[in-house]
Amino acid sequence: MRNLLIFILVLVVIWWVRRALSKPRGGDARAGGGRRGGPKNAPEPMLACDQCGVHVPESEGVHDDNGFFCCEEH
């Protein structure tokens, strides 16, 4: 029983160390020049199609004089 508990403890320590080493370091990315042109994962507005109501990212939709549409067919 004692050997099993020691084995589980060793596995937990190895898992914790690997997890700690695989995390990106937040301080280096914020301090350096990593932000060119804004954050890479910035949220994009989702707009509803004026004809069918489907929400699509603004960059993928079609702007027209009559409104916003999900595709050119609408």
Side-chain angles (χ1 to χ4, degrees), residues 4-6 20-21 25 32-33 35 51 59 66:
L4 181 62
L5 289 175
I6 291 173
L21 291 177
R25 302 198 176 175
R35 296 177 127 195
Q51 177 149 349
S59 64
N66 300 330

Side-chain angles (χ1 to χ4, degrees), residues 26-74:
D28 295 339
R30 291 182 203 141
R35 296 177 127 195
R36 293 182 195 153
K40 292 183 180 181
N41 294 332
E44 185 175 353
M46 299 286 286
L47 300 176
C49 176
D50 288 344
Q51 177 149 349
C52 64
V54 172
H55 285 79
V56 294
E58 185 176 15
S59 64
E60 294 180 20
V62 179
H63 285 280
D64 192 4
D65 293 338
N66 300 330
F68 180 80
F69 302 97
C70 62
C71 59
E72 292 189 23
E73 286 82 20
H74 288 173

